[in-house]
């Protein structure tokens, strides 16, 4: 009788610990991937906050990438920063080129780093301010010496078997 009661108590304790451990792992995995995305977005926001207008490097963007002049990069005091989504690998890539290489359009030069992975999708949009409507009109493409008012990026990634979406809108101070 004592063995039977002890077995039932041991099974109950094991069940509670097992459920608690699996919940902890799910929460830790979710928080980790969401934190990685937020940290990568913070880096993009910091880079965009340093953009300015300069001859030779325009602010250009598409749904999957954007480039802009930046200050205080690792390649020099003025650099061209490009962020793009490598859909095949599921990575957000950051490329930095020195001003001279960017002006010469030397695509091979520069440093490249993976900022966020694995991503299922990533999309960039650009705000064109319509004074008549007093609202932002979001465009899939941008090109020109002047940067947009804001950049919106949306990412989707897998976290514990569920798709999580993160959206961020970054105002560009030099455009305001």
């Amino acid at each position: 009788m004592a063995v039977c009661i002890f077995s039932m108590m041991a099974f109950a304790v094991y069940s509670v610990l097992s459920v608690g451990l699996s919940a902890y792992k799910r929460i830790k995995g979710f928080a980790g991937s969401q934190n990685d995305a937020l940290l990568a977005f913070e880096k993009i926001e910091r880079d965009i906050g340093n953009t300015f207008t300069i001859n030779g490097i325009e602010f250009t963007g598409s749904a999957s990438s954007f480039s802009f002049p930046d200050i205080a990069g690792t390649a020099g005091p003025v650099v061209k920063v490009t962020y793009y989504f490598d859909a095949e690998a599921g990575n957000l890539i950051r490329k930095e080129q020195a001003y001279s290489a960017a002006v010469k359009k030397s695509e091979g030069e520069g440093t490249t780093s993976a900022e966020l992975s694995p991503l299922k999708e990533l999309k960039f949009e650009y705000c064109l301010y319509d004074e008549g409507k007093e609202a932002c009109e979001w465009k899939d493409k941008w090109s020109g010496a002047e940067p947009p008012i804001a950049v919106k990026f949306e990412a989707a990634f897998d976290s514990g078997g569920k798709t999580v979406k993160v959206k961020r809108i970054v105002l560009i101070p030099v455009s305001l």
Side-chain angles (χ1 to χ4, degrees):
M1 184 68 125
V3 170
C4 183
I5 292 173
F6 178 75
S7 299
M8 289 189 323
M9 287 176 53
F11 179 72
V13 169
Y14 172 77
S15 297
V16 168
L17 286 175
S18 175
V19 167
L21 189 59
S22 50
Y24 171 76
K25 286 179 182 177
R26 268 193 322 244
I27 289 170
K28 187 177 178 184
F30 174 75
S33 27
Q34 192 168 25
N35 283 342
D36 290 347
L38 293 175
L39 286 172
F41 288 172
E42 286 292 327
K43 186 170 187 174
I44 294 172
E45 187 172 347
R46 187 178 53 238
D47 281 347
I48 290 174
N50 290 330
T51 194
F52 61 101
T53 55
I54 189 169
N55 264 349
I57 305 175
E58 291 187 339
F59 192 108
T60 59
S62 70
S64 62
S65 69
F66 66 99
S67 299
F68 53 93
D70 199 0
I71 56 172
T74 57
V78 176
V79 295
K80 176 183 177 183
V81 173
T82 303
Y83 281 96
Y84 63 94
F85 177 52
D86 180 357
E88 190 174 303
N91 294 330
L92 170 63
I93 307 293
R94 180 184 188 273
K95 182 176 181 181
E96 183 179 301
Q97 289 181 296
Y99 178 75
S100 59
V103 170
K104 288 188 256 177
K105 311 251 188 266
S106 302
E107 291 299 322
E109 292 184 35
T111 59
T112 304
S113 61
E115 296 301 316
L116 183 61
S117 64
L119 289 171
K120 292 173 89 174
E121 61 185 63
L122 181 64
K123 181 181 178 188
F124 300 108
E125 290 183 296
Y126 312 93
C127 172
L128 173 63
Y129 185 72
D130 185 343
E131 290 184 24
K133 296 179 184 176
E134 294 184 355
C136 243
E137 186 178 332
W138 292 100
K139 303 282 186 181
D140 287 338
K141 293 185 181 209
W142 189 272
S143 183
E146 294 294 321
I149 298 294
V151 176
K152 175 169 54 173
F153 31 100
E154 298 179 50
F157 53 91
D158 235 359
S159 181
K162 293 183 179 179
T163 299
V164 176
K165 292 191 176 193
V166 178
K167 182 191 301 188
R168 192 76 167 263
I169 296 175
V170 179
L171 297 174
I172 300 176
V174 78
S175 298
L176 300 175

